[in-house]
Amino acid sequence: MKTYVCDVCGYVYDPEVGDPEGGIEPGTRFADLPDDWVCPECGAGKDEFSPEE
Amino acid sequence: MNDTFRAQQITDSVYWVGAIDWGLRDFHGYATSRGTTYNAYLVLADKIALIDAVKAPFKNELLARIASVIDPQRIDVIVSNHSEMDHSGCLPEVIAAVEPERVVASKAGAETLRQHFDLTSIEAVEDGAVLDLGNRTLQFVETKMVHWPDSMLTYMPEEKLLFSQDAFGMHLATIELFVDNLPRELLEAEAAKYFANILMPLVGPISKALAKVQQSGIALDIVAPDHGPIWRRAEDIAWIIGKYVEWCAQKPTMKAVVTYDTMWGSTERLARAIGEGLKAGGADPRVMPLRGSHRSDVATEVLGAGALVVGSPTLNMNMFPTVADVLTYLKGLKPQNLVGAAFGSYGWAPAGVRHVHETLAAMKVDLVDDGLAVKYVPTDENLKAAHALGVAVAGKLKAACARG
């Protein structure tokens, strides 16, 4: 599964880890995150993430 | 306590109790040629609040200014809008001296202050939370990444006063408290420099924060930042907000920045010819040799420019170190909507120009060609090519400006 990086602060969303504090289970693909999910580090929206090469 | 340092009254209930750092010339790599201030504010309501603190060496100045109005031990609440050490450096000592009932920060702020100072007594406040001081209230507005994850603003509705933390601030040491007593050109130069060097990479979150403040419909009679003078006239507040909107949009203009370093004068000769070509093509060139231009002054010129043309000699199969410095810095600041080109000289392999070209491409600069690389010393033909490169960049810039 692809990781995604926050263009604002550099936080990396790793689907294998999820975002437990934000209520996101490990194994959740970036595409399956809810639309109102925000970067746990800086609050940026999903639209401000880019797939990591 | 000495009485040299006095508080300065801003409104019925608010006093400036910050510190002036006349000698600061380097703020983490940003050349602060006019020094700075670390602003802190004392709210004398039924309960007494201190908004922000100052950089560690200025603790005594802060406490002396507070003591010129009240016994610092009477402070009930300390608000930390931003955890960076120019505002929090003396916070542990101030907490120890004041012994407030509460110290509040955003959720990320409470965590960041713990990570900096092992402070575990900071109370996290939610976005929109209200703190009642009796005859005054403080409302907290979370502004993540404007310009750290912990950043928040504090608004006092009774006096329509926004403690705006680093937003709308500037590095300018002055004994003059208010913007309206200072020349507009000076304010524009220093506010632009602050935006370019601190806020430029964060135009997304800043635009959101501006929209959040505008949508909330709150009235602003006074905007009190954590660096530099205070905004209190409606026309000045509208002017700086308008500037922030403009700097966030970064629409291309005909200003073209040419920056370079040189070993034996070849890259410099190309830079001068490119500058002439830009002018001939209708652009407004700013030629900035890196031996005489600080990286933060180049960043300031790039804000509000439409083109960035960068030149480097090749040194040991690399770009020149000063050029790498300014490009690393600019890349991090993420300037938007630029056209540009790379140029430079070389001896046996044109690695310097290639590295500059690749870095500009990674910065999403719209490049006119693959870069102009000249062996050893420019010939007349090479200088004509450099002039033509300037004309070509100006042409691309004109098209970009026409698109808006």
Side-chain angles (χ1 to χ4, degrees):
Chain A
M1 284 187 286
K2 239 183 198 171
T3 55
Y4 280 70
V5 63
C6 175
D7 294 335
V8 176
C9 75
Y11 166 86
V12 176
Y13 178 76
D14 181 350
E16 286 181 20
V17 179
D19 171 23
E21 263 192 51
I24 304 297
E25 298 279 327
T28 308
R29 291 188 315 158
F30 184 81
D32 295 335
L33 291 171
D35 288 343
D36 60 356
W37 179 82
V38 295
C39 172
E41 188 62 45
C42 78
K46 271 183 80 176
D47 55 343
E48 289 182 274
F49 278 71
S50 306
E52 274 203 309
E53 298 308 325
Chain B
M1 197 163 285
N2 84 57
D3 60 0
T4 306
F5 297 108
R6 320 282 305 178
Q8 295 200 61
Q9 192 163 11
I10 302 170
T11 70
D12 284 350
S13 71
V14 179
Y15 290 76
W16 176 85
V17 290
I20 308 176
D21 192 346
W22 297 100
L24 185 78
R25 290 295 177 269
D26 182 335
F27 186 90
H28 60 51
Y30 162 170
T32 46
S33 52
R34 293 187 174 101
T36 195
T37 66
Y38 312 109
N39 298 337
Y41 301 96
L42 190 66
V43 182
L44 292 188
D46 294 338
K47 286 202 159 200
I48 296 173
L50 174 66
I51 315 285
D52 290 319
V54 299
K55 196 172 167 181
F58 296 88
K59 179 201 69 177
N60 288 345
E61 185 171 337
L62 168 75
L63 289 174
R65 290 194 201 275
I66 296 169
S68 73
V69 195
I70 54 141
D71 175 355
Q73 284 232 324
R74 288 183 55 206
I75 293 171
D76 300 290
V77 186
I78 298 177
V79 177
S80 171
N81 280 322
H82 178 27
S83 314
E84 197 166 6
M85 283 189 275
D86 47 335
H87 312 293
S88 69
C90 67
L91 193 58
E93 288 171 287
V94 170
I95 292 171
V98 167
E99 298 178 317
E101 276 173 34
R102 303 169 70 181
V103 184
V104 303
S106 69
K107 191 176 167 208
E111 179 66 5
T112 308
L113 289 170
R114 186 188 65 73
Q115 289 162 334
H116 272 74
F117 307 110
D118 202 24
L119 285 170
T120 53
S121 58
I122 313 295
E123 192 184 326
V125 289
E126 296 289 327
D127 181 30
V130 175
L131 196 153
D132 187 359
L133 299 176
N135 58 343
R136 296 284 186 280
T137 46
L138 300 177
Q139 299 175 355
F140 305 115
V141 185
E142 203 168 72
T143 53
K144 275 179 176 274
M145 293 316 279
V146 184
H147 67 113
W148 272 22
D150 55 64
S151 300
M152 70 175 190
L153 313 178
T154 298
Y155 182 63
M156 194 169 77
E158 293 81 4
E159 306 206 53
K160 301 184 177 64
L161 194 162
L162 181 68
F163 299 102
S164 67
Q165 184 245 120
D166 278 345
F168 310 120
M170 66 188 79
H171 287 310
L172 175 61
T174 167
I175 205 110
E176 185 52 67
L177 205 53
F178 295 106
V179 159
D180 40 293
N181 291 325
L182 292 162
R184 179 60 70 81
E185 307 79 56
L186 173 66
L187 298 165
E188 178 155 9
E190 291 302 337
K193 187 168 191 179
Y194 192 89
F195 191 98
N197 285 278
I198 304 286
L199 302 175
M200 187 148 63
L202 302 164
V203 293
I206 293 167
S207 299
K208 278 186 194 166
L210 283 171
K212 189 172 174 178
V213 170
Q214 280 170 340
Q215 279 162 16
S216 70
I218 59 171
L220 296 177
D221 280 355
I222 295 182
V223 175
D226 274 357
H227 295 290
I230 295 163
W231 309 84
R232 65 173 173 184
R233 286 195 312 192
E235 65 198 85
D236 294 324
I237 293 172
W239 176 79
I240 189 64
I241 291 175
K243 280 285 162 195
Y244 267 51
V245 170
E246 176 190 324
W247 293 331
C248 280
Q250 288 175 50
K251 285 195 176 162
T253 70
M254 289 303 287
K255 184 168 77 164
V257 175
V258 181
T259 192
Y260 66 93
D261 209 335
T262 198
M263 288 170 68
W264 294 105
S266 293
T267 303
E268 175 157 58
R269 290 176 68 194
L270 296 173
R272 293 164 67 98
I274 290 167
E276 296 294 321
L278 283 162
K279 177 76 183 157
D284 171 17
R286 308 290 166 89
V287 179
M288 304 185 80
L290 287 169
R291 298 292 170 91
S293 311
H294 194 271
R295 68 173 84 83
S296 52
D297 291 315
V298 176
T300 308
E301 281 294 356
V302 167
L303 176 68
L308 175 61
V309 187
V310 179
S312 178
T314 296
L315 178 64
N316 299 327
M317 295 300 285
N318 252 309
M319 61 175 129
F320 206 66
T322 50
V323 179
D325 176 313
V326 79
L327 277 179
T328 301
Y329 190 66
L330 288 175
K331 189 179 177 193
L333 292 173
K334 295 186 191 168
Q336 312 278 318
N337 305 323
L338 292 170
V339 304
F343 67 96
S345 61
Y346 65 99
W348 39 101
V353 177
R354 196 176 69 239
H355 289 161
V356 171
H357 181 86
E358 285 165 359
T359 308
L360 291 173
M363 290 166 65
K364 302 191 174 80
V365 175
D366 189 0
L367 296 159
V368 294
D369 62 12
D370 294 336
L372 174 66
V374 168
K375 191 155 185 158
Y376 289 120
V377 175
T379 61
D380 283 349
E381 282 308 305
N382 295 145
L383 291 174
K384 275 184 195 160
H387 188 275
L389 178 62
V391 173
V393 170
K396 204 173 180 72
L397 188 48
K398 257 185 194 162
C401 288
R403 284 194 303 272

